[in-house]
Amino acid sequence: MKRIGVFVCWCGSNIAETVDVKKVVEVIKKYPGVAHAEDYIFVCSNPGQKLVQETIKEKRLDSLVIACCSPTLHETTFRDLSRLTGLNPYQCEIANIREQCSWVHKDNKEEATRKAIKIIRTIVEKANQNESLEPISTPVTRQALVIGGGIAGIQASLDIANAGYEVLLVERNPSIGGHMIQLSETFPTLDCSQCILTPKMVEVSRHPKIRVLAYSEVQEISGYVGNFNVKILKKPRYVIEDKCNLCGKCVDVCPVAAPSEFDNNLAARKAIYLPFPQAIPATYTIDIEHCPGFLPIACGKCADVCEPQAIDFDMRPEIIEEKVGAIVVATGYDLYSPKNIGEYGNGKYEDVMDGMQFERLLSATGPTGGEVRRLSDNKVPKRVVFVSCVGSRDTEHHLPYCSKICCMYMAKHAMLYKHKVPDGEAIVFYIDTRAGGKGYEEFVTRTQEEDKVIYIRGKASKIFKNGNGKLIVWGADTLLGKQVEVECDMVVLSMAMVPSNGAKDLISKLKIPSDAYGFVNEAHPKLRPVESISAGFYLAGCTQAPKDIPETVAQASGAASKVTDLFAEEELKHEPIVAAVDEDLCSGCGICVPLCPYDARELEIKDEKRIAKVNEILCEGCGSCISACPSAAVQQRNFKDNQIFKMVDAILS
Amino acid sequence: MAKISNIFEPRIVCFFCKWCTSAGADLAGTSRMQYLPNGIPICVMCSSRVDPEHVLWAFKRGADGVFIGGCHPGDCHYQSGNYKTRRRVFLLKQVLKDFGIEPERLRLEWISASEGKRFTQVMDEFIEEVRSLGKLKV
């Protein structure tokens, strides 16, 4: 029998108000294995910890049970304290009598006290059979994989690389830059988006520690934190990156036009194209879906004019295998399609566009050179209606969440439109204006007061064309309590942000949890916002939730610093509560092998006998295989069957 | 709420997975949501650590009900542990019938870390259900 010390925390009045801590101590003192029990007002305080330390020495305790708050809070505190006092940290256990007892049975003190005693008894039983364990050490590969080359991925890559570690930046499009490179000016300071992003892109391309794999996709991931194996598919560009000198002669001769992704289909590009002038890597790409030359020698005009002979129609997809220690997921967002919104015309009106298309109209590199013109007749629109929350905040038909950035970019759109068309009229339909952020509220006020943008509080109910071909917006003005009808020349819809197209498949390959909409979950919504609960995965940008550029950059830097923290360790420590096989009992049936999600169980021949081994480095300690073993030959360290049986007994006796 | 002596108070053993259900129970606590105190928690790393033997042991020792809480399908911290639990519980319920134990005395639920409210509802509902079944008679 062990000598277990039990400390019952009052947590001020949080526990003591509901649970009769004196009675608990009195009862627990007599429980087998308990050598010492006492209560204290705040065991986690400095004097509380000192008391625990002194008692361990004085009473020669070899195991510790702290009955207090949830182990998610102070388990580390008391395990560290145990280590400092010469006790193996895995001999220390937490009995959760606050979150799962005192706080939830406030009106039933008698039952709460009884429950607290039972909870502590189960933990005493567990502690009684706990072994002393040492964390399992694993090596760490000091190279990070960053998935997504938008501002989030760019910032994370630069921060990790500047700390001295290798980075592999994978982007599925021909160039890095993401959505930010498409933007015109950014709120609330109206910096030119390209002007502030392109220096970072150039830095990425020149950084000796960063390898950019553009036009590539992550295909497969295996392994665990510190030691992931990734397979990356590098799609063929049919242009040799190093040879292309960007002369652009190929574009002049290419006979095929296709919609430009960079201009959100507002303009055309050729089948051989550079997405935008500052693209990184700086090289042309042939879009095989549109290129006739891909069918043998149907065209090939680009190859004929290419002086450096950079065109290679025989280029094949390439699989690149790499080892990485940490993965930053920065897959970004896309806009919910206007095609989903029937009452706004399902995207069939040319002059009803989404926010990103309007960005392209405003941008100096856009299809109109920065002039706001209608797609239908190239005229300057004199009245533009901006509609907020299209698809967002709509629990009945679309997406219930707020896309967060639309209020601000809508104000910016209206303001920039007024700057470009001073005699035009900008009307905003809004539900609420959410302008929380440094300088944001002031920006919206400026739009209304200086630029005379008209704000109508209410949702647009219908957008259609009347008999004269004019666009009509029906809506409500909820402040005046009136229906309104606005005739206009153009409508800009602030579409909801959704996880980027294809992110769902990637996330299921990475096996990291995501929410109902496909945004990746953070480990803790407040205290661990830049990492996944799956070790080794970090989150940056809109892959986690809609957010603006400053927040994205902050999260990317946060994720990068978590990665560098990880890489700063000599070795990674792995929880030792793994599966352990009793080789005498194991019959080698192999039932456990396919159950393990981590390939940690494998059959091996030892002394002419089949044994199902455990690879401790791979084992995450879920216990799936243990419950399946027909001969109870495998046990989970410190969660042994005998411990669980005794814990059940402690509840029922 | 004073305990009335003639109301049957069931004894319930609860197995919670650490990542979802136990975290959901913690959230219920942080939010001070009140529920019945009959279930005593045992926190395991994953619901798939719960061996059918543990459940049978609990019934053998006089538990009136056994609760297992895991992550929602697709959300398992260990990728697929909850699917294994689901299969095991399905089969175990058949075995319970053969033992003359109402299968309703064993409940498997998916409760995520954000479902504090649901946790309390499920707990109260299960405790009341076991209460209506009465003391385990085997």
Side-chain angles (χ1 to χ4, degrees):
Chain A
M1 194 65 79
K2 277 191 178 166
R3 292 181 58 78
I4 303 170
V6 180
F7 292 84
V8 182
C9 184
W10 298 19
C11 193
S13 62
N14 282 309
I15 293 170
E17 197 177 65
T18 312
V19 171
D20 182 347
V21 287
K22 296 283 177 202
K23 187 173 174 198
V24 171
V25 168
E26 201 182 300
V27 174
I28 287 296
K29 246 183 192 156
K30 296 175 196 140
Y31 200 75
V34 176
H36 176 84
E38 75 176 289
D39 55 289
Y40 190 75
I41 183 162
F42 285 111
V43 185
C44 62
S45 67
N46 248 337
Q49 293 192 42
K50 211 166 232 164
L51 171 79
V52 175
Q53 271 187 309
E54 279 162 10
T55 317
I56 292 172
K57 286 179 197 150
E58 193 186 312
K59 305 266 174 175
R60 292 173 292 109
L61 302 177
D62 54 11
S63 193
L64 208 54
V65 172
I66 314 289
C68 57
C69 50
S70 167
T72 52
L73 297 168
H74 277 303
E75 187 177 79
T76 321
T77 312
F78 291 110
R79 287 196 168 168
D80 285 347
L81 180 83
S82 301
R83 186 185 302 111
L84 289 173
T85 322
L87 200 62
N88 183 283
Y90 293 90
Q91 296 292 358
C92 169
E93 290 283 350
I94 303 289
N96 181 349
I97 60 163
R98 193 180 74 174
E99 281 81 348
Q100 297 189 11
C101 186
S102 74
W103 273 350
V104 289
H105 309 304
K106 280 179 169 292
D107 1 325
N108 198 339
K109 294 189 179 173
E110 198 185 322
E111 280 301 323
T113 306
R114 200 194 303 261
K115 181 171 169 180
I117 292 169
K118 287 193 172 181
I119 292 174
I120 298 170
R121 288 206 311 213
T122 62
I123 302 298
V124 168
E125 287 294 356
K126 181 173 191 293
N128 213 357
Q129 294 187 58
N130 270 358
E131 298 167 55
S132 291
L133 302 174
E134 290 303 328
I136 297 159
S137 297
T138 56
V140 47
T141 309
R142 290 189 177 80
Q143 172 170 247
L145 171 69
V146 176
I147 309 174
I151 179 60
I154 288 173
Q155 185 66 43
S157 299
L158 285 173
D159 285 359
I160 298 167
N162 285 340
Y165 302 110
E166 301 287 335
V167 176
L168 193 58
L169 174 59
V170 175
E171 165 59 49
R172 67 175 169 181
N173 290 320
S175 169
I176 60 170
H179 282 309
M180 186 175 165
I181 198 72
Q182 294 179 281
L183 304 181
S184 53
E185 294 169 25
T186 53
F187 60 79
T189 46
L190 302 184
D191 295 277
C192 153
S193 189
Q194 295 199 339
C195 313
I196 57 177
L197 181 59
T198 46
K200 281 191 184 284
M201 290 167 60
V202 172
E203 200 185 335
V204 164
S205 71
R206 292 209 180 126
H207 205 296
K209 295 275 186 191
I210 301 176
R211 266 189 301 161
V212 177
L213 278 178
Y215 217 40
S216 302
E217 286 180 32
V218 172
Q219 213 175 31
E220 222 180 285
I221 288 212
S222 60
Y224 50 95
V225 56
N227 294 281
F228 293 106
N229 299 304
V230 287
K231 277 189 189 163
I232 298 158
L233 170 76
K234 194 169 192 301
K235 294 177 279 189
R237 280 179 192 271
Y238 306 103
V239 176
I240 301 161
E241 286 181 30
D242 302 336
K243 283 193 180 174
C244 175
N245 62 4
L246 294 175
C247 68
K249 285 180 185 158
C250 50
V251 174
D252 297 338
V253 298
C254 179
V256 190
S260 157
E261 296 86 354
F262 179 65
D263 280 326
N264 270 52
N265 305 337
L266 293 181
R269 58 156 171 84
K270 293 293 184 67
I272 185 163
Y273 68 109
L274 187 67
F276 49 94
Q278 310 94 325
I280 296 230
T283 179
Y284 282 81
T285 303
I286 294 179
D287 160 13
I288 52 155
E289 274 181 39
H290 293 94
C291 172
F294 197 68
L295 297 166
I297 318 303
C299 175
K301 289 193 168 95
C302 50
D304 296 342
V305 296
C306 183
E307 275 163 21
Q309 296 186 322
I311 313 277
D312 175 9
F313 284 117
D314 297 326
M315 208 179 254
R316 292 272 166 268
E318 205 182 322
I319 300 283
I320 296 168
E321 291 190 39
E322 284 285 335
K323 271 185 155 312
V324 297
I327 297 170
V328 178
V329 186
T331 50
Y333 71 96
D334 271 316
L335 292 183
Y336 193 58
S337 171
K339 289 188 178 144
N340 295 323
I341 319 283
E343 62 272 32
Y344 296 169
N346 292 100
K348 70 179 175 217
Y349 304 126
E350 269 184 312
D351 298 323
V352 178
M353 55 179 62
D354 67 32
M356 189 55 91
Q357 289 175 319
F358 196 66
E359 287 288 345
R360 294 308 304 144
L361 282 192
L362 294 171
S363 170
T365 62
T368 56
E371 284 182 40
V372 182
R373 289 186 178 275
R374 279 156 56 105
L375 286 186
S376 55
D377 54 12
N378 208 32
K379 283 187 185 152
V380 176
K382 291 296 179 186
R383 185 184 283 153
V384 180
V385 169
F386 298 88
V387 182
S388 77
C389 302
V390 188
S392 309
R393 302 179 68 196
D394 188 339
T395 37
E396 269 178 50
H397 305 104
H398 303 288
L399 303 158
Y401 55 84
C402 167
S403 294
K404 202 170 184 180
I405 62 165
C406 324
C407 289
M408 290 309 297
Y409 78 62
M410 206 166 54
K412 177 195 75 179
H413 282 170
M415 179 189 280
L416 293 180
Y417 165 70
K418 288 285 283 185
H419 289 179
K420 286 177 192 281
V421 187
D423 61 335
E425 198 177 9
I427 300 172
V428 171
F429 277 92
Y430 72 105
I431 309 182
D432 302 293
T433 294
R434 295 181 168 174
K438 197 172 179 180
Y440 287 12
E441 180 64 24
E442 298 92 313
F443 182 80
V444 174
T445 309
R446 189 179 139 198
T447 311
Q448 296 166 342
E449 291 178 356
E450 283 179 29
D451 295 297
K452 310 287 183 230
V453 173
I454 301 162
Y455 269 66
I456 300 179
R457 188 179 193 277
K459 222 176 156 154
S461 56
K462 192 170 176 171
I463 298 169
F464 61 99
K465 268 188 178 173
N466 69 5
N468 307 327
K470 275 276 192 181
L471 276 173
I472 306 289
V473 181
W474 278 354
D477 186 329
T478 56
L479 295 180
L480 293 177
K482 280 200 316 198
Q483 299 296 314
V484 286
E485 181 180 301
V486 182
E487 193 184 281
C488 62
D489 303 317
M490 187 186 264
V491 180
V492 181
L493 305 176
S494 298
M495 299 308 303
M497 287 170 103
V498 291
S500 81
N501 178 23
K504 200 176 171 194
D505 284 347
L506 177 73
I507 287 164
S508 71
K509 276 178 200 160
L510 303 180
K511 293 176 183 144
I512 52 177
S514 58
D515 69 13
Y517 316 109
F519 291 113
V520 179
N521 282 350
E522 58 284 355
H524 187 283
K526 287 151 205 163
L527 303 178
R528 292 172 70 192
V530 305
E531 56 201 299
S532 165
I533 193 82
S534 303
F537 291 93
Y538 302 89
L539 320 176
C542 294
T543 195
Q544 181 235 347
K547 54 176 71 70
D548 60 17
I549 297 166
E551 266 189 277
T552 296
V553 171
Q555 195 183 23
S557 288
S561 83
K562 287 279 172 192
V563 171
T564 54
D565 268 7
L566 184 81
F567 287 176
E569 295 287 330
E570 282 292 315
E571 287 176 316
L572 296 184
K573 298 286 186 220
H574 183 68
E575 278 286 328
I577 45 170
V578 294
V581 180
D582 182 334
E583 293 182 358
D584 293 335
L585 290 178
C586 179
S587 66
C589 70
I591 285 176
C592 49
V593 175
L595 284 179
C596 180
Y598 305 100
D599 300 328
R601 304 298 311 270
E602 58 183 350
L603 284 172
E604 211 182 74
I605 305 287
K606 193 179 172 189
D607 303 332
E608 294 176 18
K609 189 187 163 207
R610 290 212 310 177
I611 302 276
K613 286 269 185 193
V614 175
N615 181 338
E616 291 196 346
I617 290 177
L618 294 181
C619 178
E620 286 282 323
C622 63
S624 286
C625 60
I626 295 152
S627 316
C629 179
S631 40
V634 60
Q635 290 294 332
Q636 184 172 11
R637 294 192 196 280
N638 288 356
F639 278 100
K640 294 188 286 270
D641 282 333
N642 275 337
Q643 281 175 292
I644 296 175
F645 289 141
K646 283 283 187 188
M647 290 168 88
V648 171
D649 286 349
I651 295 173
L652 299 169
S653 60
Chain B
M1 196 176 74
K3 207 181 114 188
I4 304 166
S5 56
N6 58 2
I7 287 187
F8 164 59
E9 289 297 343
R11 297 196 296 169
I12 292 171
V13 175
C14 301
F15 294 101
F16 297 157
C17 82
K18 170 178 169 165
W19 304 97
C20 289
T21 307
S22 190
D26 279 359
L27 178 65
T30 319
S31 320
R32 314 294 198 277
M33 294 167 176
Q34 305 295 297
Y35 55 93
L36 296 171
N38 303 53
I40 309 294
I42 293 176
C43 183
V44 285
M45 297 305 281
C46 176
S47 64
S48 67
R49 174 65 191 97
V50 182
D51 192 319
E53 255 190 90
H54 301 152
V55 177
L56 292 174
W57 180 272
F59 283 125
K60 185 176 157 193
R61 292 298 170 121
D64 302 304
V66 176
F67 180 91
I68 304 172
C71 309
H72 281 275
D75 281 352
C76 179
H77 183 74
Y78 302 102
Q79 300 176 15
S80 56
N82 50 2
Y83 296 131
K84 289 157 203 160
T85 314
R86 182 159 68 185
R87 295 201 288 264
R88 285 170 190 157
V89 168
F90 176 79
L91 289 175
L92 183 56
K93 282 186 177 238
Q94 314 299 314
V95 177
L96 289 183
K97 267 188 226 161
D98 296 343
F99 282 136
I101 298 171
E102 296 89 337
E104 297 77 37
R105 290 185 187 274
L106 171 62
R107 175 81 79 98
L108 170 65
E109 289 277 357
W110 314 130
I111 299 170
S112 80
S114 59
E115 293 177 326
K117 184 77 205 154
R118 204 175 103 73
F119 174 84
T120 64
Q121 288 163 345
V122 167
M123 269 294 133
D124 283 346
E125 189 195 300
F126 180 58
I127 291 166
E128 287 304 346
E129 185 177 2
V130 176
R131 201 197 301 277
S132 70
L133 288 170
K135 198 163 169 51
L136 180 73
K137 300 172 214 78
V138 185

